[in-house]
Amino acid sequence: MRPAHIALASLVAAVWGVNFVVIEIGLDHFPPLLFSALRFVAAALPAVFLVGRPKVAWKWIVGVGLVLGVAKFGLLFMGMDSGAPAGLSSLIVQIQAVFTALFAFTALGERPGRARVAGMAVALAGIAVAAVDEGSSGPLLGFALVLAAAACWGVSNVLTRKASPPDALNFMVWVSTVPVLPLLALSLLLEGADRDLAALRSLDWTGAGVVLYVAWVTTIFGFGAWGWLLRRHPASSVAPFSLLVPVFGMSSAFLILDEPVSPLRRCAAALLVGGVALTTLPGRRKPRPAVQQQEPPTAQRA
């Protein structure tokens, strides 16, 4: 990869890592499901009028929109609202790589190699250590919701792979149109109209800024740039940069939110990041059989 492309991949990882701190700030202004709905409203409008018609079947847009937008982000925001720290959440969602491998094996028949199986075992050990740390210092409900969000992300990755969108930005913008109404309905049902209206009436510049960050910077720029890199480089070259997300997430949470990083959490981070790194290793390719060069039929012996 060119230095400029390496810098872009690192910038996307930083944007996604800091996003967890921004979400934490946003949850002080909005109920979680309403916040998630506003994120997708801002991501879809006005971009949906600028990116052209969808380039994949609607079944994939709706499927990914419901699993990624409603389930994954709804659970993530609810988990963080229930007490899951920003830095820890940025770490836990990386287990999506393990869920992706498991679901891809079940749905697509993609058999993981020994290195990936070992990586999944190491990553799961990291989750166990993080659960022990969270159980002794924080609410397990938030931890469980973030873990469920990672599982939903794994499902959406498999659906996205099946969809094979030729334009990642076009796909993400259209996917963003799907979760808005379901999330608003769930917010009204679970969070209440009074709480939603109070949050909207008290909207200030900070609240508007966090919505625009998670919508335009994280979603539009982040996924658009990531898709652009994947179109120009092998996935095995781009994917490892996602391992920087919890590094930026935990660092920014420590610097901005004064979130402590316990020794157990450091151990969990090392295990999880190392395990996910193993799952991103490309599998061995079977060597092609050697082809013997035969004398052309028109050749004449001397």
Side-chain angles (χ1 to χ4, degrees), residues 18-32 35 77 80-81 84-86 203-211 213-214 252-253 255-259:
V18 174
N19 182 55
F20 289 87
V21 172
V22 176
I23 292 172
E24 187 81 20
I25 296 171
L27 289 171
D28 291 333
H29 293 74
F30 307 102
F35 184 17
F77 282 35
M80 294 181 65
D81 189 59
L203 181 65
D204 56 14
W205 287 108
T206 302
V210 297
V211 170
Y213 183 92
V214 297
S252 59
L255 294 172
I256 299 173
L257 302 177
D258 199 25
E259 184 179 303

Side-chain angles (χ1 to χ4, degrees), residues 209-224:
V210 297
V211 170
L212 294 180
Y213 183 92
V214 297
W216 291 356
V217 180
T218 302
T219 305
I220 300 301
F221 167 74
F223 282 97

Side-chain angles (χ1 to χ4, degrees), residues 20 67 71-86 88-100 102-103 120 123-132 134 139-156 268 272 276:
F20 289 87
V67 176
K72 186 261 181 176
F73 282 106
L75 289 168
L76 174 63
F77 282 35
M78 290 173 66
M80 294 181 65
D81 189 59
S82 298
L88 181 65
S89 298
S90 72
L91 175 66
I92 296 304
V93 293
Q94 296 308 312
I95 199 69
Q96 58 85 17
V98 174
F99 285 119
T100 300
L102 292 173
F103 296 145
M120 287 188 279
L124 289 173
I127 290 294
V129 173
V132 171
E134 188 66 6
L140 278 175
L141 175 61
F143 179 91
L145 289 172
V146 174
L147 190 60
C152 292
W153 194 359
V155 175
S156 73
L272 187 51
V276 171

Side-chain angles (χ1 to χ4, degrees), residues 11-297:
L11 177 60
V12 172
V15 163
W16 285 347
V18 174
N19 182 55
F20 289 87
V21 172
V22 176
I23 292 172
E24 187 81 20
I25 296 171
L27 289 171
D28 291 333
H29 293 74
F30 307 102
L33 294 175
L34 176 64
F35 184 17
S36 190
L38 292 174
R39 172 233 182 98
F40 286 108
V41 169
L45 298 175
V48 73
F49 299 109
L50 304 175
V51 297
R53 297 171 62 86
K55 298 181 181 180
V56 298
W58 270 103
K59 65 179 181 179
W60 301 120
I61 293 174
V62 173
V64 174
L66 292 175
V67 176
L68 180 68
V70 179
K72 186 261 181 176
F73 282 106
L75 289 168
L76 174 63
F77 282 35
M78 290 173 66
M80 294 181 65
D81 189 59
S82 298
L88 181 65
S89 298
S90 72
L91 175 66
I92 296 304
V93 293
Q94 296 308 312
I95 199 69
Q96 58 85 17
V98 174
F99 285 119
T100 300
L102 292 173
F103 296 145
F105 171 70
T106 302
L108 305 177
E110 297 181 1
R111 188 178 297 275
R114 292 181 180 178
R116 289 183 178 178
V117 172
M120 287 188 279
V122 172
L124 289 173
I127 290 294
V129 173
V132 171
D133 180 59
E134 188 66 6
S136 62
S137 61
L140 278 175
L141 175 61
F143 179 91
L145 289 172
V146 174
L147 190 60
C152 292
W153 194 359
V155 175
S156 73
N157 285 339
V158 174
L159 292 177
T160 301
R161 190 175 302 176
K162 291 281 287 184
S164 298
D167 185 336
L169 179 60
N170 174 282
F171 181 67
M172 197 62 215
V173 169
W174 281 103
V175 162
S176 297
T177 65
V178 175
V180 175
L181 292 180
L183 283 170
L184 285 175
L186 287 171
S187 179
L188 289 172
L189 179 65
L190 300 177
E191 296 165 346
D194 292 340
R195 188 180 175 193
D196 288 351
L197 288 174
L200 293 174
R201 286 171 180 164
S202 61
L203 181 65
D204 56 14
W205 287 108
T206 302
V210 297
V211 170
L212 294 180
Y213 183 92
V214 297
W216 291 356
V217 180
T218 302
T219 305
I220 300 301
F221 167 74
F223 282 97
W226 197 255
W228 184 87
L229 289 168
L230 287 172
R231 288 196 301 274
R232 286 159 176 79
H233 302 281
S236 58
S237 298
V238 178
F241 283 92
S242 66
L243 299 177
L244 294 174
V245 172
V247 175
F248 286 111
M250 297 180 76
S251 300
S252 59
F254 173 76
L255 294 172
I256 299 173
L257 302 177
D258 199 25
E259 184 179 303
V261 183
S262 66
L264 271 180
R265 193 165 298 179
R266 294 191 189 99
C267 178
L271 288 170
L272 187 51
V273 171
V276 171
L278 284 174
T279 66
T280 62
L281 291 176
R284 290 183 178 180
R285 294 183 178 180
K286 294 181 179 180
R288 294 182 179 180
V291 179
Q292 288 186 340
Q293 293 184 346
Q294 296 182 350
E295 197 175 62

